[in-house]
Amino acid sequence: MHAGREDLADLGLHAPPIDLSTTYPSYDARAEAARIDEFATTGARLDGPPVYARLDNPTVARFEEALARLEGTDAAVAFASGMAALTAVLLARASQGLRHVVAVRPLYGCSDHLLDAGLLGTEVTWTDPAGIAEAIRPDTGLVMVESPANPTLAEADIRALAHSCGSVPLLVDNTFATPVLQRPVEQGARIVLHSATKYLGGHGDVMGGVVACDEEFARTLRQVRFATGGVLHPLAGYLLLRGLSTLPVRVRAASTTAAELVRRLATDPGSPASTTRGSAAR
Ligand SMILES: Cc1ncc(COP(=O)(O)O)c(C=O)c1O
């Protein structure tokens, strides 16, 4: 409720302001150019105005701060969509010469496609959780898992998986669980990805993606975002921050509804899940 909003009372505001600026006033062209260069090469967040909206945006930064707090990470970096977020992660690792990804199926279809088609020059080894340690190579930059997975809802033991990864970062796509139900970093994951388009937004009216991680990796992601342009629009940042306010209540309601659906389907003679047909709800 409060993360990303702590300064509002001092500003005399209740709702976060939406900053739609694409460019910001510049009084010293040489100094501003130096700030852009520094951002491009370090990815460290700027003090003062963002210079240009592809570097940073104050409204989006509020959402990033709130999401990082929820996931228990140093930082979060927001993108135009979940796929833009995954793209940035893969490019960030490839830029460090680590083009190989070990991934556990099932993954969301487009994540599977992006990896399998090698569109970004990455190479993937598909494996099950038991095969991770064996699949890791010297150029492996990432192990990726989705739990619960879209669409099967298969769940992974994140702690065991993280152990198998050794020093290779484990990315968990936490879209379906949300940080209300699962905080992968507490179980050893290093990178958490969301399609914010789903539960974080919560109302079917905003696309976005976000990566929660340590500050070092966040800097590389900001560099990639600046250079490739997959930024989250400030209006989307505002809607996502607003969505977070009701996230725990919505997740609780969705869980209650799901449990009730299971109960009804398990006893409905017309349902394939019905116990009356001998296939107990699992
Ligand atoms: C689990 C999961 N990850 C990633 C994505 C991609 O996110 P987006 O559609 O916001 O690009 C989706 C989209 O359905 C998803 O369900």
Side-chain angles (χ1 to χ4, degrees), residues 79-86 107-111 144 146-151 173-176 193-198 206-209:
F79 294 89
S81 68
M83 293 315 301
L86 179 57
L107 290 183
Y108 164 63
C110 201
S111 304
M144 180 167 175
E146 204 173 288
S147 182
N150 180 3
D173 185 326
N174 203 26
T175 299
F176 272 26
L193 184 139
H194 285 273
S195 167
T197 315
K198 309 294 166 357
V206 56
M207 282 206 93

Side-chain angles (χ1 to χ4, degrees), residues 6-268:
E6 281 95 343
D7 58 333
L8 293 188
D10 285 345
L11 292 171
L13 297 175
H14 170 65
I18 303 173
D19 182 344
L20 294 172
S21 309
T22 55
T23 42
Y24 292 80
S26 166
Y27 303 101
D28 179 343
R30 204 181 295 271
E32 292 296 85
R35 289 178 76 217
I36 294 178
D37 286 349
E38 193 186 335
F39 184 84
T41 51
T42 69
R45 292 204 57 207
L46 298 163
D47 287 330
V51 187
Y52 187 58
R54 196 155 25 74
L55 281 72
D56 203 358
N57 172 272
T59 310
V60 171
R62 291 177 183 278
F63 164 63
E64 293 174 328
E65 197 181 321
L67 197 274
R69 190 85 65 83
L70 281 172
E71 288 289 4
T73 54
D74 295 342
V77 185
F79 294 89
S81 68
M83 293 315 301
L86 179 57
T87 295
V89 171
L90 296 176
L91 291 176
R93 295 309 276 160
S95 76
Q96 293 157 345
L98 302 169
R99 297 184 165 274
H100 180 240
V101 178
V102 173
V104 177
R105 272 181 170 143
L107 290 183
Y108 164 63
C110 201
S111 304
D112 190 309
H113 170 63
L114 182 64
L115 290 170
D116 213 45
L119 282 171
L120 299 173
T122 50
E123 187 191 342
V124 63
T125 300
W126 297 105
T127 183
D128 57 20
I132 286 177
E134 203 179 318
I136 287 175
R137 313 188 317 208
D139 64 339
T140 304
L142 194 70
V143 176
M144 180 167 175
V145 68
E146 204 173 288
S147 182
N150 180 3
T152 63
L153 304 182
E155 287 179 81
D157 179 343
I158 294 172
R159 199 177 295 280
L161 268 166
H163 185 71
S164 310
C165 293
S167 60
V168 178
L170 172 66
L171 179 151
V172 175
D173 185 326
N174 203 26
T175 299
F176 272 26
T178 84
V180 175
L181 298 176
Q182 170 173 278
R183 305 216 290 174
V185 167
E186 289 175 357
Q187 298 175 53
R190 299 253 297 280
I191 304 168
V192 180
L193 184 139
H194 285 273
S195 167
T197 315
K198 309 294 166 357
Y199 290 99
L200 302 188
H203 295 79
D205 56 5
V206 56
M207 282 206 93
V210 64
V211 181
C213 56
D214 61 33
E215 175 59 20
E216 189 187 344
F217 192 57
R219 288 183 181 199
T220 313
L221 289 176
R222 289 186 204 111
Q223 287 177 262
V224 171
R225 185 179 62 181
F226 168 64
T228 58
V231 293
L232 185 72
H233 192 274
L235 286 173
Y238 174 88
L239 288 172
L240 290 174
L241 182 66
R242 187 170 70 163
L244 292 185
S245 307
T246 54
L247 182 64
V249 182
R250 288 187 284 104
V251 169
R252 213 172 296 133
S255 301
T256 305
T257 305
E260 174 61 14
L261 280 173
V262 168
R263 193 190 66 73
R264 289 194 200 180
L265 288 170
T267 54
D268 182 342

